Every structure is written in structure tokens, then in C-alpha cells.
Amino acid sequence: MTKSFGYAAQNATSPLAPFAFDRRDPGPNDVAIDIQFCGVCHSDLHTIRNEWNNAIYPVVPGHEIVGRVTAIGSAVKKFKVGDLAGVGVLVDSCRVCPSCKANEQQYCDKGMTLTYNARDKYGDLTFGGYANNIVADETYTYPISSKLNPAGVAPLLCAGITTYSPLRHWKVGKGKKVGIVGLGGLGHMGLKFAHSFGAHVVQFTTSLNKKEDALRLGADEVVLSKDPDAMQAHANSFDFILDTAAAPHDLNPYLELLKRDAAMTLVGLPDVPPTVVTGALAFRRRSLSGSIIGGLVETQEMLDYCAQHNITADVEVIPIQKINEAYERMLKNDVKYRFVIDMASLQK
Ligand code: NAP
Ligand code: ZN
Ligand code: ZN
């Protein structure tokens, strides 16, 4: 067994606290990684507080993982000891269903194996990246360019791919007017990508104090979504809207901003189902859709795109001892724009 040490939630109400546990020893296709940085995703918080009613305690969260390879199995080809490696939201899938064959492993018919809060094919409970190490199948592990700051790269493994994938799927680019709802971890990456792809980008926010940042990060316009007149000024004008908001909110005012045949995609996963006015969709043949992270090939494409275009997350690096405080700030929309845990702090 590989001895591991990290922070875990033992139930829905107690804070994260130190936790020792075992992982499997690396098999022929596995790499062992010493974790350097792990991003803090809002999904970590939804999960540990059991807002999705699926928590399997103890939960060691964390699926935006970057670190150094310390050991490799006999069949490993992609990595050698000392390489920088990343692990994201999924660590396995069935590999044979139509989605897996299409490199859309996140939509695996048998269900992907999540990096934490899941049972893997060995029957073990998976534990995530708020820890000193991880053992993962090399197929589901990404080589990371040493050109970029590793703390800023970590959030690409979830916030990055979750926004990159739908923006690519819906063909966002030059000549398109695109909205990003929410300027948090996902939202600020969506804004950077949409801007980088050449679109005219409108950032929607509930926090007017984020306006200057949104402009700096690439927004052409910023709209305070609580202001009905400011919203109405953009009626029927968007080619695409990406909604990253983490809390329940009314989708209908955004649907009214789409052009005929345009789409809005939800990546935010609040725990309360939305109410949709069917007329807001029907009268202009608009679509409402959803999206989950991205597949293995697209995630590597996104990482390569970021290395090429010098794109990373804007991060506030914290020691693990501040994680519970970070969650409280996240709930107040006070994150600029991703907390990333420096795992060296685990030694303290
Ligand atoms: P985050 O950093 O907390 O950002 C969420 C942002 O949502 C906030 O900063 C805020 O932006 C906005 N917001 C909050 N309450 C709102 C409200 N009532 N109305 C409108 N906007 C509101 O969270 P995150 O890590 O980016 O995650 C966002 C959501 O995506 C979470 O639900 C998470 O579970 C989900 N997620 C989904 C996937 C996927 O694959 N689909 C992957 C990762 C995460 P402003 O201050 O600008 O308003
Ligand atoms: Zn995430
Ligand atoms: Zn599959």
C-alpha cells in the first residue's frame, strides 16, 4: 500500500481535518505522483457538504492536481520519474462504450470513475488531491509543460477544460457574441478562452466590484445581471452563453438574450433545479444544454493550447490549513479567481 496523508471531510457538517489513508501501490500502468498544487473547485464544496446527496465519507476532495512523478509501473510509456504530471476530474472509465471510443470518456455509458468520492474498479474508495500523493493510471494522467507556473496550471484540469470544451463544441470564435455568467473559477477561465478564441465577450456578474478585473481578463463588456435594464439592452443578441454560476438563479433573463437558434450551456451545478419558461426557448428556437468537463484528448489539447498561448488561472495560493476559511470566502463570491493549495504546507 502507498501511505498517504491529506485533509478529509468526515461528514456534511464538520470542517476538513487531517487524515491518513492508503492508496494502492502503482500497478503496471500506474504512475505515482507527489502532489505540488491542487486547485479548490466549488464541486469540492458541493460534495463535502453533501449538496448532491452522493457523498461517500470520508471525502478527500481535489481534482485539479499537478505534481512530480515519483514512480512508474512497468508498462508506463508517457512518463518517466521526475516529470510534471496532472490529474483532473476522472481517473478511469469503461474504455469500450461509444463515448469512451469517441474520446468523450466524461460521458462514459458505465459512468466515469471520479478522482474522489467514487469506487474504482478495484473496489477502493477514490481519494483526491488535497493530499501529499496520488496513484493514477497513466492513460488518465496528463503530461504538463514546465513552461507555465504549476500553481496556475492546476485549475486548468477542471475549471479550464470545463469551459474550453463547451466553447469549442459550440464553435465560439471570431464574429460571435458570447456571454459568460459568473466570474469565479470556471467563469474567469471561460472568459480567458472566449477572448483568446476571438469572440466579443460579455461578462455577466452579480459582483460589480469585479468589473475592472473582468475587463483586464478580456471582457469587451461587463453587465450587472441584477440590473434588468442593463440585461434588456442585450436582448436577442447572443450567439452563445456559458453559465458557470454555482448558486440557484433564474435562467430565463439570460435565455431572452439569445438570438434565434442560439444556445445557452449550463456547466454550473447548483443543487436546486431551475424553472424554464418554455416560451423563452420556443419563440426563437433557442436551446438550453449542459456540459461536463472534457475527454482525455480534448483535455490534452486544452493544456497544449494554454502552454502555447501562455494561459493559466489567476490564483490565490493558500496553505492547506486555510481550506475551511477559503470555502467560506468562496460562498461569498470572494475568490480571485481560484484558490490553489500549496501541498508543501502539509508538512507543517
Ligand atoms: P466559484 O469559483 O464559486 O464561482 C461561481 C460564481 O458564480 C461566483 O463567483 C459568482 O460570480 C457566481 N454566482 C454565485 N451565486 C450566483 C447567483 N446567485 N447568481 C448568479 N451568479 C452567481 O465556483 P466554480 O468552481 O467556478 O464552480 C461553478 C459551478 O460549476 C459549481 O456549481 C461547480 O460545482 C460547477 N462545476 C461544474 C463542472 C462541470 O463539469 N460541469 C466542473 C467544475 C465545476 P459573480 O460574483 O461574478 O456573480
Ligand atoms: Zn471541478
Ligand atoms: Zn465508457
Side-chain angles (χ1 to χ4, degrees), residues 63-328:
H63 56 209
E64 295 185 333
I65 299 164
V66 170
R68 291 256 172 222
V69 174
T70 55
I72 58 170
S74 55
V76 166
K77 294 196 184 64
K78 255 177 11 187
F79 297 94
K80 53 183 188 336
V81 170
D83 283 354
L84 265 186
V87 178
V89 177
L90 76 165
V91 288
D92 207 353
S93 63
C94 87
R95 306 173 194 223
V96 293
C97 75
S99 292
C100 285
K101 288 231 180 288
N103 262 308
E104 303 273 19
Q105 293 86 355
Q106 72 279 32
Y107 303 118
C108 175
D109 289 353
K110 298 272 161 64
M112 60 177 155
T113 305
L114 294 167
T115 302
Y116 64 82
N117 196 47
R119 292 269 167 207
D120 64 20
K121 65 182 171 204
Y122 309 102
D124 295 334
L125 180 57
T126 58
F127 294 117
Y130 294 13
N132 61 332
N133 60 21
I134 190 163
V135 174
D137 188 311
E138 71 159 336
T139 305
Y140 296 78
T141 304
Y142 307 96
I144 298 289
S145 164
S146 53
K147 268 174 44 185
L148 301 173
N149 162 25
V153 169
L156 301 179
L157 275 314
C158 176
I161 185 59
T162 300
T163 50
Y164 183 95
S165 182
L167 292 171
R168 285 299 197 207
H169 180 80
W170 292 96
K171 302 194 169 25
V172 163
K174 219 171 164 34
K176 299 283 170 75
K177 180 173 170 181
V178 173
I180 306 287
V181 181
L183 191 59
L186 266 55
H188 94 293
M189 289 312 306
L191 171 53
K192 286 187 185 202
F193 285 133
H195 174 68
S196 174
F197 298 165
H200 179 93
V201 194
V202 180
Q203 178 68 50
F204 295 97
T205 182
T206 60
S207 313
L208 201 56
N209 62 359
K210 295 182 182 173
K211 183 174 179 186
E212 291 310 313
D213 280 350
L215 295 171
R216 172 178 60 80
L217 293 167
D220 297 285
E221 301 175 60
V222 182
V223 171
L224 186 62
S225 52
K226 295 178 214 160
D227 175 350
D229 293 337
M231 293 288 279
Q232 196 50 37
H234 289 270
N236 308 317
S237 68
F238 281 87
D239 295 287
F240 182 66
I241 296 178
L242 183 66
D243 187 338
T244 77
H249 57 289
D250 188 0
L251 303 184
N252 297 294
Y254 297 102
L255 293 173
E256 296 288 356
L257 307 189
L258 294 170
K259 284 179 181 170
R260 172 175 55 78
D261 289 328
M264 168 150 133
T265 291
L266 309 177
V267 287
L269 299 166
D271 55 347
V272 180
T275 301
V276 172
V277 177
T278 47
L281 293 174
F283 281 93
R284 287 182 193 264
R285 204 165 47 195
R286 297 163 173 140
S287 302
L288 178 62
S289 73
S291 185
I292 287 284
I293 46 171
L296 297 176
V297 167
E298 194 172 44
T299 300
Q300 192 63 56
E301 174 193 305
M302 178 274 311
L303 289 166
D304 295 344
Y305 182 89
C306 289
Q308 200 182 344
H309 293 85
N310 204 24
I311 294 174
T312 52
D314 285 27
V315 300
E316 179 175 338
V317 177
I318 57 165
I320 187 102
Q321 292 80 3
K322 293 238 167 167
I323 185 62
N324 294 303
E325 200 180 299
Y327 284 146
E328 293 315 311

Side-chain angles (χ1 to χ4, degrees), residues 9-54:
Q10 298 292 345
N11 56 57
T13 52
S14 54
L16 284 199
F19 176 62
F21 58 101
D22 292 325
R23 301 188 190 269
R24 68 177 183 270
D25 281 330
N29 299 301
D30 288 336
V31 295
I33 299 168
D34 263 2
I35 300 174
Q36 295 180 325
F37 294 100
C38 184
V40 179
C41 179
H42 208 114
S43 300
D44 301 346
L45 188 53
H46 289 309
T47 304
I48 59 165
R49 305 226 166 140
N50 202 19
E51 291 170 14
W52 294 330
N53 288 313
N54 68 349

